[in-house]
């Protein structure tokens, strides 16, 4: 079953009501859900880390300039020989020392295995967040489907309870009419009135559950509390044909949570390589141009340039490198074990979801048959009561059975639809039900 995904934003009952389809609800939830916003922030942070890791192979350009003014007593009253004749010793103040310098420096990494592996690790982390976001979006879509059709189901339950109330009122009228004709005892009227009171209470309870379901949908969507929501899509019939889970490897390769964990393992592998590369030297190409000008006692106007290769090697750093490598290896092993557990859990989820869908589908089909039989039984019971062949207890029991059959069909239809969508999420099957990203 593919859910209706047409946009119905313009179909509004009135100025205060917003008509939404299932697709509209999914889009709203994906835009407003705070959990998805947190995952998107994590993805943006991983992208920023990947961008920063490019420093491992791109050059660094630094431009610096400074101005210096030095005024000291060392430059005041300095003895100085006057070369005139006759020579004499005088004291002279040379004033403050002033100067400015400017430089341009370029550092180009030639060999930095640690930075290279850090960038690859960051790229795999971005991939992990991308798959995690996709999976979270699908889970939110399932939650929206459940809340959307949950409200529809609650509304159908209210309609069924109100139909049962009308039937009970009809029975009460029939009992009162028969009592006036002397055909039934007064106890029949009392029982019919009791049934009417019971049905009014059931209607009130059903309306309360509908309000709860409406607020639950509003919470999932993150919409304003004062905005009236009109649901446009009816509850579809549960699908009667879904793909099998055999062989399980086919769907395991498609599940976004499995793909996210695979990317996590790749990131952990590069993290191990990054930690191991801490034992290797770093080689950089250095180029610098410097200009210097000064005024005062030492008047200078000079420039120069420098070109060289720098090597940095730290063979031992107090076991910090060994600890980092051991930690990276532990993270990698943990990710591999987590993937193994996830694959086993995914297989079990698929088998369980498939079995649940089959059971819910069979339950709904039997519930539909039960409604048909209960309606016929109620019709015959009302006729027999009118002819005096059955007592009111038998007719009220038939009425209760008919109402119970209707309520069971409403719940079974909802459960079967949700079970089918849960199975699709478990195996990533029939992806056309998703809203395009």
């Amino acid at each position: 079953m593919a859910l209706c995904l047409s946009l119905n934003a313009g179909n509004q009952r009135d100025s205060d009501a917003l008509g939404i389809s299932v697709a509209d609800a999914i889009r709203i939830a994906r835009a407003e859900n705070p959990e998805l916003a947190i995952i998107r922030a994590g993805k943006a942070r991983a992208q920023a880390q990947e961008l920063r890791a490019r420093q491992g192979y791109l050059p660094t350009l630094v431009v610096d300039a400074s101005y210096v003014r030095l005024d000291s007593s060392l430059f005041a009253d300095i003895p100085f020989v006057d070369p005139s004749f006759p020579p004499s010793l005088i004291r002279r103040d040379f004033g403050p020392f002033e100067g400015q310098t400017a430089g341009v420096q370029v550092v180009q990494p030639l060999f930095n295995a640690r930075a290279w592996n850090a960038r690859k690790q960051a790229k795999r982390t971005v991939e992990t967040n991308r798959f995690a976001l996709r999976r979270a979006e699908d889970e939110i879509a399932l939650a929206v489907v459940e809340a959307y059709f949950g409200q529809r189901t609650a509304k159908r339950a209210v309609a069924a309870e109100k139909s049962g109330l009308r039937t009970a009122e009809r029975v009460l009228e029939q009992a009162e009419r028969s009592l006036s004709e002397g055909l039934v005892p007064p106890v029949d009227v009392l029982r019919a009135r009791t049934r009417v009171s019971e049905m009014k209470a059931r209607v009130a309870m059903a309306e309360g559950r509908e309000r709860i379901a409406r607020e639950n949908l509003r919470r999932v969507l993150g919409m304003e509390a004062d905005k009236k929501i009109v649901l446009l899509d009816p509850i579809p019939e549960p699908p009667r044909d879904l793909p099998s889970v055999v062989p399980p490897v086919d769907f395991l390769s498609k599940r976004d949570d499995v793909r996210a964990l695979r990317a996590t393992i790749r990131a952990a592998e590069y993290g191990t390589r990054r930690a191991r590369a801490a034992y290797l030297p770093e080689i950089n190409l250095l180029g610098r141009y410097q200009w210097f000008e000064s005024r005062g006692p030492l008047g200078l106007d000079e420039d120069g340039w420098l070109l060289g290769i720098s090597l940095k090697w730290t063979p031992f750093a107090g076991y910090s490198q060994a600890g980092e490598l051991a930690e990276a290896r532990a993270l990698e092993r943990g990710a591999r074990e987590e993937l193994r557990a996830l694959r086993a859990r995914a297989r079990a989820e698929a088998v369980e979801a498939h079995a649940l869908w089959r059971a819910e589908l069979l339950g709904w089909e039997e519930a539909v048959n039960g409604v048909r039989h209960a309606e016929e039984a109620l019709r015959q019971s009302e006729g027999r009561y009118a002819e005096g062949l059955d007592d009111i207890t038998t007719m009220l029991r038939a009425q209760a059975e008919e109402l119970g059959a209707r309520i069971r069909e409403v719940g079974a239809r909802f459960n079967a639809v949700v079970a089918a969508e849960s199975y699709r999420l478990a195996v990533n099957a029939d992806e056309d039900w998703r809203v395009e990203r």
Side-chain angles (χ1 to χ4, degrees):
M1 176 201 63
L3 299 179
C4 176
L5 299 180
S6 59
L7 180 62
N8 295 294
N11 298 337
Q12 299 184 5
R13 302 291 177 84
D14 52 63
S15 58
D16 296 330
L18 175 64
I20 60 173
S21 65
V22 177
D24 300 332
I26 291 175
R27 278 190 286 269
I28 293 172
R30 284 177 173 174
E32 302 295 337
N33 188 272
E35 295 180 1
L36 290 181
I38 294 173
I39 297 176
R40 290 190 183 99
K43 179 183 177 182
R45 185 168 59 251
Q47 291 173 334
Q49 292 175 351
E50 190 273 335
L51 184 64
R52 185 176 60 185
R54 297 181 183 181
Q55 186 181 7
Y57 62 90
L58 292 178
T60 301
L61 176 64
V62 178
V63 178
D64 59 86
S66 60
Y67 168 78
V68 178
R69 178 184 174 89
L70 177 61
D71 194 355
S72 173
S73 61
L74 295 175
F75 302 141
D77 296 333
I78 298 177
F80 183 76
V81 177
D82 188 359
S84 62
F85 184 83
S88 61
L89 182 64
I90 62 175
R91 292 183 176 276
R92 184 175 178 183
D93 188 356
F94 286 92
F97 170 82
E98 292 181 288
Q100 54 263 5
T101 179
V104 178
Q105 179 173 301
V106 178
V107 178
Q108 171 63 56
L110 298 180
F111 180 78
N112 192 337
R114 185 178 177 87
W116 295 344
N117 285 286
R119 179 173 180 268
K120 293 179 180 179
Q121 181 184 13
K123 290 181 66 175
R124 293 300 180 270
T125 304
V126 172
E127 188 177 356
T128 297
N129 283 269
R130 179 166 60 87
F131 287 128
L133 179 60
R134 285 166 56 97
R135 182 68 181 183
E137 287 177 344
D138 291 341
E139 291 174 351
I140 288 295
L142 176 61
V144 170
V145 168
E146 188 172 357
Y148 189 98
F149 292 134
Q151 182 179 345
R152 277 290 195 184
T153 299
K155 192 170 184 179
R156 288 190 62 198
V158 171
E161 297 288 359
K162 289 182 177 180
S163 176
L165 174 60
R166 289 191 295 270
T167 301
E169 291 173 342
R170 186 174 66 249
V171 171
L172 175 59
E173 293 175 359
Q174 185 177 358
E176 291 175 343
R177 186 169 55 253
S178 299
L179 177 63
S180 63
E181 297 174 359
L183 301 178
V184 297
V187 69
D188 285 7
V189 176
L190 296 177
R191 289 175 177 172
R193 289 174 179 172
T194 301
R195 179 61 178 174
V196 170
S197 298
E198 177 187 353
M199 289 307 305
K200 288 181 179 179
R202 289 174 61 99
V203 169
M205 290 292 294
E207 290 175 343
R209 286 191 292 269
E210 182 190 6
R211 288 193 294 270
I212 293 174
R214 187 185 309 119
E215 291 305 315
N216 181 55
L217 175 61
R218 197 185 302 276
R219 178 188 59 82
V220 173
L221 298 181
M223 299 186 65
E224 299 178 1
D226 58 346
K227 193 69 174 180
K228 183 179 178 181
I229 300 176
V230 178
L231 306 185
L232 303 178
D233 290 341
I235 303 177
E237 285 193 3
R240 291 178 169 80
D241 185 23
L242 288 178
S244 175
V245 297
V246 180
V249 179
D250 292 344
F251 75 85
L252 283 179
S253 61
K254 299 178 182 178
R255 282 186 54 145
D256 289 323
D257 53 348
V258 175
R259 298 167 73 181
L261 199 47
R262 283 204 202 100
T264 300
I265 292 177
R266 292 293 294 165
E269 291 175 351
Y270 282 117
T272 302
R273 297 179 186 179
R274 175 187 179 183
R276 189 181 295 115
Y279 291 100
L280 300 177
E282 298 178 7
I283 302 176
N284 298 319
L285 177 64
L286 173 65
R288 181 174 180 84
Y289 172 79
Q290 187 74 39
W291 171 76
F292 177 76
E293 180 187 20
S294 66
R295 294 181 298 276
L298 301 176
L300 297 175
D301 186 1
E302 304 294 339
D303 62 351
W305 57 271
L306 171 68
L307 182 64
I309 296 179
S310 65
L311 182 144
K312 178 183 178 182
W313 184 32
T314 308
F316 181 74
Y319 290 106
S320 64
Q321 298 156 320
E324 182 182 358
L325 179 58
E327 182 182 1
R329 287 172 174 171
L331 290 175
E332 182 180 349
R333 288 194 301 269
R336 292 186 184 279
E337 291 302 320
E338 188 177 351
L339 177 61
R340 190 161 66 94
L342 177 59
R343 291 174 66 90
R345 186 168 65 250
R347 291 190 183 96
E349 287 177 359
V351 173
E352 179 182 352
H354 190 270
L356 181 61
W357 162 70
R358 295 293 304 175
E360 295 290 355
L361 177 62
L362 180 61
W364 173 69
E365 291 175 345
E366 293 301 326
V368 172
N369 295 330
V371 170
R372 185 170 60 253
H373 299 326
E375 289 176 345
E376 178 62 21
L378 177 60
R379 186 185 64 80
Q380 293 183 12
S381 179
E382 289 179 345
R384 291 176 61 85
Y385 179 76
E387 296 175 2
L389 301 178
D390 281 342
D391 58 9
I392 195 170
T393 301
T394 302
M395 186 174 64
L396 291 177
R397 185 184 305 113
Q399 179 192 359
E401 292 174 352
E402 189 268 344
L403 177 60
R406 285 181 175 274
I407 297 298
R408 285 192 296 273
E409 189 277 333
V410 170
R413 186 187 187 104
F414 169 75
N415 291 336
V417 170
V418 173
E421 297 306 318
S422 299
Y423 174 70
R424 285 198 179 95
L425 180 63
V427 300
N428 270 29
D430 194 12
E431 297 187 1
D432 61 347
W433 70 284
R434 301 177 181 172
V435 174
E436 293 186 0
R437 299 179 178 84

